[in-house]
């Protein structure tokens, strides 16, 4: 779609600009600051939102009815609580410190990434596996980018590695329908996390504007 192409081109240009060789006659007085890091993370979050819309539609069609029906809105099962939930009151969420919200995002995407990698090894079509692998790579980039924002703001990363998708002793889904329900809730929560994260980083970039980058000509014997 035109929107997808524009996001893809924008992301490619950002990556290309960041990797341009230094001009011999110019010096950059500051490295990438917190403001630029936040902007890049916001852009990546929006790109992932677009990616997930396409991926979710394809995956739900793979699951089949009733999961791919527009009005399918099942109650959340207790077993789905292993997936980090984004259903927190918005006023309570906004009342958290920037550090607490960033840490929650970092932990949640680390865990969601583990679940998605499990899906990648289970699906039966090569095209869907390719799309899942591509999305996992982008989501890994978001986890690293959030870690970069936290470091640039002087916040420590959450302690400990992300937990495994299923803690020891957790039984597998007893039937195919409940397994599909787990996958459905994983995609649903991921959509909500990305929607809220985009708002988080949009507010944060207004609080921490990009640093002014100044350029100076080097004296070349003049």
């Amino acid at each position: 779609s035109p929107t997808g192409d524009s996001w893809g081109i924008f992301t490619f240009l950002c990556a290309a600009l960041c990797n341009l060789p230094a001009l011999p006659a110019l010096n950059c007085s500051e490295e990438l600051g917190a403001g630029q890091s936040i902007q890049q993370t916001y852009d990546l979050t929006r790109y992932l939102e677009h990616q997930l819309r396409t991926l979710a539609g394809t995956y739900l069609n793979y699951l089949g009815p009733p999961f791919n029906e527009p009005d399918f809105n099942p109650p959340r099962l207790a077993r789905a609580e292993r997936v980090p939930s984004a259903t927190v009151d918005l006023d309570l969420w906004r009342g958290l410190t920037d550090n607490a919200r960033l840490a929650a995002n970092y932990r949640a995407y680390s865990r969601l990434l583990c679940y998605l990698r499990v899906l990648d090894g289970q699906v039966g079509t090569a095209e869907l596996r390719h799309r899942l692998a591509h999305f996992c790579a982008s989501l890994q980039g978001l986890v690293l980018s959030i870690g970069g924002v936290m470091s640039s703001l002087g916040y420590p990363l959450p302690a400990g590695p992300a937990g495994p998708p299923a803690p020891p002793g957790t039984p597998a889904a007893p039937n195919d329908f409940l397994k599909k329900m787990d996958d459905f809730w994983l995609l649903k929560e991921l959509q909500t996390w990305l929607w809220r994260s985009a708002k988080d980083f949009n507010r944060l970039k207004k609080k921490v504007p990009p640093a002014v980058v100044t350029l100076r000509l080097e004296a070349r014997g003049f």
Side-chain angles (χ1 to χ4, degrees):
S1 66
T3 304
D5 291 342
S6 61
W7 272 112
I9 292 170
F10 177 76
T11 306
F12 172 79
L13 289 175
C14 284
L17 287 172
C18 288
N19 289 284
L20 282 175
L23 295 175
L26 295 175
N27 258 350
C28 181
S29 64
E30 294 187 34
E31 295 181 356
L32 185 68
Q36 287 91 340
S37 183
I38 292 166
Q39 178 67 55
Q40 288 185 1
T41 307
Y42 168 76
D43 293 336
L44 181 55
T45 305
R46 293 298 309 276
Y47 176 64
L48 278 161
E49 278 191 287
H50 166 73
Q51 267 193 292
L52 185 60
R53 280 193 292 271
T54 302
L55 175 62
T58 303
Y59 195 84
L60 292 178
N61 284 333
Y62 168 75
L63 294 181
F67 300 97
N68 58 347
E69 296 172 359
D71 57 349
F72 182 61
N73 188 29
R76 185 173 176 126
L77 302 178
R79 58 176 293 103
E81 294 300 329
R82 298 198 314 267
V83 177
S85 176
T87 54
V88 178
D89 181 80
L90 283 178
D91 289 333
L92 291 176
W93 180 259
R94 291 173 183 173
L96 298 175
T97 64
D98 292 334
N99 186 9
R101 281 194 301 273
L102 286 166
N105 275 283
Y106 184 90
R107 285 192 297 265
Y109 289 122
S110 296
R111 287 185 60 199
L112 288 164
L113 181 60
C114 290
Y115 282 96
L116 283 169
R117 284 175 171 158
V118 172
L119 288 191
D120 188 22
Q122 294 176 344
V123 294
T125 69
E127 179 187 358
L128 190 50
R129 283 198 301 272
H130 175 75
R131 290 192 178 193
L132 279 166
H134 180 66
F135 186 83
C136 284
S138 298
L139 192 61
Q140 177 67 56
L142 180 61
V143 173
L144 295 174
S145 190
I146 294 173
V149 170
M150 295 185 73
S151 297
S152 68
L153 293 174
Y155 300 145
L157 293 181
T170 301
N175 58 56
D176 187 58
F177 181 83
L178 290 179
K179 170 64 176 66
K180 290 180 178 180
M181 187 73 82
D182 288 347
D183 297 350
F184 174 86
W185 274 106
L186 171 61
L187 295 174
K188 192 175 181 69
E189 287 294 351
L190 187 52
Q191 286 176 323
T192 308
W193 272 105
L194 288 169
W195 171 80
R196 191 171 63 188
S197 294
K199 292 185 175 296
D200 287 346
F201 287 106
N202 190 43
R203 285 192 295 268
L204 191 58
K205 71 177 184 175
K206 293 175 181 177
K207 293 173 61 176
V208 186
V212 177
V213 177
T214 58
L215 300 174
R216 65 179 177 82
L217 289 173
E218 290 186 349
R220 296 290 186 181
F222 294 100

